């Protein structure tokens, strides 16, 4: 009797154990990421050919204690490798595990290899050669936490999840043994199968193979056991012949019962690859696929008995496309309810939030792993009496769980059945009202970028800005008094309502989380899509980036400030310092400024400012762009200006600055430097976004400046709810004598 270990992904151990027991294996014992069992050599070969869940089948040669390097080598040397292969075979060694003296897997593999070669050299005078890429024999060695090493021969060769029917796959191919787990855990035995997002067809092919009793390894050309010294090729031939007979009989049985497998996908190229895979698997008479998006999903078997839906929709590991996926899952749930009453469904995702957006009540939940990614498989029964959109058990969101047991307990199911789907109707109604109001206003004003919601309802704490056909949702950090799960669920409902009310594709909704930031962190890069849009504001074009930074390149609350700067700029030399992407510079140039000097510390934003100028056809050679520490530059600049616009950060401690800057603490010193650059009849427009900022009127007046607070006058209609969003002051010279006094000093 030989001892084996069948390795599998986590979450598949129970299925693999049941499969081995049904196949007649002995001493079957489930453990982490695999199952041990006993049997003859035929048992091991048949398992390689017929397992639907294992990735490898290992024939154990022996186990020994390896407390130190000497014991390790001697234990490896003592095993009878010559019983299974000779010195003409090429070998490779895979090792996993660490101990006090085995610090890396490469060292462990080399020591095992040395022991094998030394043993053959002593016994035969000739050692096997090493071939890491395509060896005749692959040795597997595992060191456990108790310093026990088990050495095995890998009978599989290439991983058993590869069935050799794939000619191509989509962007995120599903491993075949995980596909079998989805199918089996979903309760499928036989009957019609639909995959609404079939990709390269893996779920459909695996379901058909299960229903037709087709051995998964039937198409494979080589196994690891073929390199064994006493390999019986006739045994494998008999096993394959038997498997072919069963496969043909199974396919005939399915065709006679009119059982079919149908898949949809929106990508024609992916569907073409699926057809190639299906044909190579020999299942083109049973499986049909067609190009169709999720919104057009239909039941291809309306007259047949209810079957099963299996689906592996996109998971959306990145938060940025979450709204798009939310819409997709919601649409999937709606189409399933509408088209497939009475059916069963099994849907897998790494996001319990997205699964909840299906609005289907889960019967059971299983934890599976797609590679290293933890996933949930939820299974559903679609009620026959459910009308689309009707209140029912199927409209209840499945509860997000963190269970380690395979399935949901009955108590948990009862708890889920009592849950009610939280629909953000109050938020949706407010958003509709705001949209109607601000869209009319924006059309009159000639604005393509504006705010339509700013935490109007405290429980939905977010700001929503429209940029052409895109919506930017900026979630405010929830207070500590609000449970994280509650805040998260509210945001999910908010996003669902945004997609519904604004009637824009989910992919055009961008979600960001705003926290209290210091220094230049508001400008830090979040992504690198390099996607940009061009939006119009009062007839002027601006480039915005909704994806890569926390801010977009255009401060919407400063819209009237920059327009005011533009109106004051005709025939003037203008300085825009702390310029960011130069939007005020563009206004000045468009309105006839004699020259515009744009100063910022960031090379990226200065380049952006130049592009904004180009987008408006501005080519004045007098316009200057300066990359510099603004505070240091102001102290050394020899030029004078008629109009200075300064919108400094609230706080900055950038490593590129000599000192930190706090606008409340340092604004008088900043204005003193600005006054030095101001011509006798000059004007300073000074703004910032610090809440509760207090201008030191006495000190500023002492600089020879008249003060006009225009904060409310420059507050746009779409920011009227937040009167402290920014402050703005127009500062003018009191009289020419201050210029004379400055020259005399």
């Amino acid at each position: 009797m030989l001892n084996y270990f069948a390795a599998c992904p986590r979450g598949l151990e129970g299925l693999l154990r049941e499969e081995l027991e049904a196949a007649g294996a002995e001493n079957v014992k489930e453990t982490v990421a695999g199952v041990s069992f006993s049997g003859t050599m035929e048992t091991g070969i048949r398992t390689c050919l017929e397992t639907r869940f294992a990735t490898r089948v290992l024939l154990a040669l022996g186990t020994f204690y390896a407390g130190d390097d000497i014991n390790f080598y001697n234990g490896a040397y003592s095993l009878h490798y010559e019983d299974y292969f000779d010195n003409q075979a090429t070998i490779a060694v895979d090792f996993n595990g660490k101990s006090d003296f085995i610090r890396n897997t490469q060292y462990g593999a080399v020591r095992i290899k040395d022991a094998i070669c030394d043993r053959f050299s002593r016994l035969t005078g000739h050692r096997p050669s090493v071939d890491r890429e395509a060896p005749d024999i692959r040795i597997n060695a595992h060191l456990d936490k108790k310093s026990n090493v088990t050495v095995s021969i890998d009978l599989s060769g290439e991983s058993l999840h590869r069935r050799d029917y794939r000619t191509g796959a989509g962007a995120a191919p599903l491993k075949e043994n995980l596909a079998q787990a989805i199918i089996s855990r979903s309760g499928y035995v036989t009957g019609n199968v639909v995959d609404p997002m079939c990709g390269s067809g893996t779920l459909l092919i695996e379901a058909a193979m299960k229903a037709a009793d087709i051995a998964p390894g039937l198409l494979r050309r080589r196994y690891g056991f073929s390199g064994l010294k006493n390999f019986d090729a006739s045994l494998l031939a008999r096993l394959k012949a038997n498997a072919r007979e069963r496969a043909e009989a199974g396919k005939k049985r399915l065709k006679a019962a009119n059982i079919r497998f149908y898949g949809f996908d929106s990508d024609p190229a992916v569907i073409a690859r699926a057809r190639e895979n299906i044909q190579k698997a020999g299942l083109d008479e049973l499986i049909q696929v067609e190009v169709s998006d999720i919104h057009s999903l239909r039941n291809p078997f309306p007259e047949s008995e209810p079957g099963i839906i299996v689906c592996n929709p996109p998971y959306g590991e990145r938060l940025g496309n979450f709204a798009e996926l939310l819409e997709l899952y919601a649409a999937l749930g709606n189409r399933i309810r509408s088209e497939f009453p009475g059916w069963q469904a099994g849907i897998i995702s790494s996001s319990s939030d997205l699964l909840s957006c299906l609005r289907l009540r889960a019967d059971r939940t299983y934890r599976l792993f797609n590679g290293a990614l933890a996933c949930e498989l939820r299974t559903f029964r679609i009620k026959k009496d459910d009308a689309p959109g009707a209140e029912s058990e199927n409209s209840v969101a499945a509860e997000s769980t963190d269970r380690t047991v395979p399935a949901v307990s009955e108590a948990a199911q009862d708890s889920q059945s009592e849950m009610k789907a939280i629909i953000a109707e109050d938020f949706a109604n407010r958003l509709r009202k705001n949209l109607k109001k601000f869209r009319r206003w924006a059309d009159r004003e000639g604005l393509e970028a504006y705010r339509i919601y700013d935490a109007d309802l405290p429980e939905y704490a977010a700001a929503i800005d429209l940029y052409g056909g895109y919506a930017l949702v900026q979630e405010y950090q929830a207070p500590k008094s609000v449970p994280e799960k509650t805040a998260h669920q509210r945001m999910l409902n908010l996003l669902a309502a945004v997609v519904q009310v604004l009637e824009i594709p989910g992919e055009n909704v961008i979600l960001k989380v705003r926290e209290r930031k210091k220094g230049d962190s508001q400008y830090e890069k979040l992504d690198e899509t390099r996607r940009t849009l061009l939006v119009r504001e009062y007839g002027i074009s601006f480039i915005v980036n909704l994806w890569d930074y926390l801010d977009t390149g255009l401060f919407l609350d400063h819209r009237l400030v920059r327009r005011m700067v533009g109106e004051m700029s005709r025939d003037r030399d203008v300085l825009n310092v702390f310029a960011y992407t130069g939007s005020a510079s563009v206004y000045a140039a468009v309105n006839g400024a004699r020259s515009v000097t744009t100063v910022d510390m960031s090379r990226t934003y200065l380049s952006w400012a130049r592009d904004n100028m180009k987008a408006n056809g501005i080519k004045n050679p007098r316009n200057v762009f300066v990359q510099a520490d603004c505070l240091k530059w102001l102290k050394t600049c020899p030029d004078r200006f008629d109009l200075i616009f300064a919108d400094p950060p609230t706080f900055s401690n950038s490593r590129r600055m000599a000192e930190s800057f706090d606008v409340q603490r340092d604004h008088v010193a900043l204005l003193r430097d600005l006054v030095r650059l101001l011509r006798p009849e000059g004007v300073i427009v000074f703004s910032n976004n610090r809440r509760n900022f207090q201008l030191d009127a006495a000190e500023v007046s002492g600089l020879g400046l008249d003060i006009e607070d225009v904060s409310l006058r420059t507050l746009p209609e779409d920011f009227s709810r937040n009167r402290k969003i920014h402050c703005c002051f127009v500062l003018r010279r009191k009289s020419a004598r201050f210029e004379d006094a400055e020259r005399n000093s």
Side-chain angles (χ1 to χ4, degrees), residues 561-586:
V561 176
R562 50 183 170 262
R563 186 171 74 168
M564 180 181 69
V565 169
E567 292 170 348
M568 299 168 67
S569 297
R570 179 167 295 279
D571 298 325
R572 288 185 169 185
D573 293 314
V574 179
L575 169 64
N576 180 11
V577 65
F578 307 102
Y580 189 35
T581 59
S583 56
S585 298
V586 175

Side-chain angles (χ1 to χ4, degrees), residues 187-485:
Y188 180 71
V189 178
T190 189
N192 293 332
V193 178
V194 171
D195 185 349
M197 294 180 231
C198 67
S200 58
T202 304
L203 280 167
L204 295 170
I205 293 171
E206 292 294 320
M209 290 175 68
K210 176 182 174 69
D213 190 24
I214 299 173
L218 195 54
L219 295 178
R220 285 173 61 106
R221 297 175 183 175
R222 185 184 183 279
Y223 288 93
F225 55 70
S226 61
L228 295 177
K229 184 166 61 175
N230 297 320
F231 168 60
D232 184 355
S234 63
L235 170 62
L236 178 62
R238 289 196 303 273
L239 292 174
K240 281 195 169 185
N242 177 265
R244 289 191 189 96
E245 289 178 7
R246 296 193 339 255
E248 290 304 315
K251 288 191 284 187
K252 289 179 181 178
R253 183 176 64 252
L254 294 180
K255 285 188 282 186
N258 199 30
I259 291 173
R260 295 291 183 270
F261 305 81
Y262 215 103
F264 304 89
D265 200 280
S266 60
D267 188 340
V270 171
I271 285 293
R273 287 197 293 271
R275 290 189 176 119
E276 292 175 2
N277 294 341
I278 292 163
Q279 185 174 21
K280 189 172 181 182
L283 295 169
D284 43 317
E285 293 184 0
L286 293 173
I287 304 175
Q288 185 174 346
V289 292
E290 68 174 78
V291 177
S292 178
D293 66 20
I294 197 63
H295 300 282
S296 304
L297 176 64
R298 59 181 175 79
N299 185 348
F301 313 111
E303 305 300 326
S304 300
E305 288 293 315
I308 192 167
I309 300 163
V310 287
C311 191
N312 174 42
Y315 299 165
E317 290 306 295
R318 295 188 48 76
L319 190 60
N321 66 344
F322 191 84
E324 175 187 2
L325 294 175
L326 184 151
E327 179 196 28
L328 182 135
Y329 277 70
L332 175 61
N334 287 337
R335 296 307 296 173
I336 287 175
R337 283 193 297 272
S338 173
E339 291 290 319
F340 298 92
W343 282 54
Q344 292 177 266
I347 301 174
I348 189 171
S349 176
S350 67
S351 171
S352 59
D353 294 324
L354 289 173
L355 286 170
S356 294
C357 293
L358 294 168
R359 302 299 181 189
L360 300 171
R361 178 180 179 265
D363 295 312
R364 298 176 71 85
T365 299
Y366 299 92
R367 291 179 66 81
L368 300 173
F369 286 83
N370 190 352
L373 192 62
C375 296
E376 281 187 15
L377 170 68
R378 293 186 185 175
T379 63
F380 312 91
R381 291 189 188 92
I382 315 305
K383 303 298 181 183
K384 288 187 176 182
D385 55 353
D386 281 338
E391 281 290 331
S392 70
E393 289 184 1
N394 280 342
S395 67
V396 179
E399 183 180 9
S400 175
T401 61
D402 188 23
R403 284 179 284 271
T404 56
V405 296
V408 183
S409 65
E410 290 297 324
Q413 291 182 38
D414 291 341
S415 173
Q416 289 179 4
S417 69
E418 294 170 359
M419 291 178 62
K420 298 297 181 184
I422 305 172
I423 306 300
E425 285 298 336
D426 48 352
F427 166 77
N429 290 334
R430 175 61 65 93
L431 190 61
R432 288 188 191 96
K433 179 181 176 182
N434 288 3
L435 181 64
K436 183 178 180 180
K437 170 187 174 182
F438 288 119
R439 183 169 279 171
R440 290 175 180 171
W441 164 79
D443 288 344
R444 289 196 307 268
E445 294 286 307
L447 304 176
E448 292 181 346
Y450 53 96
R451 179 155 293 183
I452 59 171
Y453 179 87
D454 194 357
D456 300 25
L457 305 177
E459 60 268 33
Y460 297 103
I464 302 174
D465 300 325
L466 292 186
Y467 288 84
Y470 291 79
L472 176 62
V473 179
Q474 300 180 80
E475 179 185 9
Y476 296 124
Q477 191 175 30
K480 293 182 179 179
S481 59
V482 178
E484 183 179 351
K485 184 177 179 180

Side-chain angles (χ1 to χ4, degrees), residues 84-95:
Y84 296 96
F85 58 94
D86 57 32
N87 58 17
Q88 299 301 311
T90 58
I91 64 170
V93 180
D94 298 323
F95 185 91

Side-chain angles (χ1 to χ4, degrees), residues 530-714:
R530 298 184 181 180
R531 294 176 63 186
T532 59
L533 300 174
L534 199 66
V535 294
R536 301 277 288 175
E537 178 180 286
Y538 300 126
I540 299 176
S541 297
F542 291 105
I543 298 166
V544 295
N545 184 323
L546 310 184
W547 296 269
D548 293 349
Y549 301 89
L550 187 60
D551 288 309
T552 66
L554 190 66
F555 295 128
L556 300 185
D557 67 293
H558 273 62
R559 188 186 304 118
L560 296 182
V561 176
R562 50 183 170 262
R563 186 171 74 168
M564 180 181 69
V565 169
E567 292 170 348
M568 299 168 67
S569 297
R570 179 167 295 279
D571 298 325
R572 288 185 169 185
D573 293 314
V574 179
L575 169 64
N576 180 11
V577 65
F578 307 102
Y580 189 35
T581 59
S583 56
S585 298
V586 175
Y587 266 91
V590 167
N591 281 274
R594 187 166 48 243
S595 70
V596 181
T597 300
T598 304
V599 186
D600 198 272
M601 189 163 55
S602 167
R603 181 181 290 106
T604 298
Y605 291 120
L606 275 179
S607 176
W608 199 329
R610 289 190 183 95
D611 291 340
N612 276 331
M613 287 285 195
K614 292 177 184 176
N616 290 278
I618 298 167
K619 300 179 180 179
N620 187 347
R622 294 182 178 180
N623 294 340
V624 178
F625 298 87
V626 180
Q627 182 193 358
D629 178 336
C630 296
L631 296 175
K632 291 176 66 176
W633 183 87
L634 290 174
K635 294 182 183 299
T636 59
C637 176
D639 301 322
R640 295 293 184 268
F641 302 92
D642 304 298
L643 175 62
I644 299 175
F645 174 56
D647 180 32
T650 298
F651 178 84
S652 181
N653 59 353
S654 171
R655 287 174 292 180
R656 290 176 290 177
M657 294 177 60
E659 299 177 355
S660 68
F661 175 82
D662 183 298
V663 71
Q664 184 63 69
R665 180 190 69 199
D666 300 322
H667 72 277
V668 173
L670 170 62
L671 290 172
R672 184 178 294 113
D673 289 334
L674 295 179
V675 167
R676 187 183 65 80
L677 304 184
L678 201 61
R679 289 177 178 151
E681 302 300 323
V683 179
I684 298 172
V685 177
F686 173 69
S687 68
N688 67 80
N689 288 81
R690 182 188 177 104
R691 289 182 176 274
N692 302 314
F693 174 81
Q694 295 294 321
L695 187 76
D696 192 332
E699 290 288 338
V700 173
S701 181
L703 297 176
L705 298 172
D706 284 326
I707 302 169
E708 182 184 4
D709 187 344
V710 296
S711 300
L712 293 181
R713 203 174 82 201
T714 58

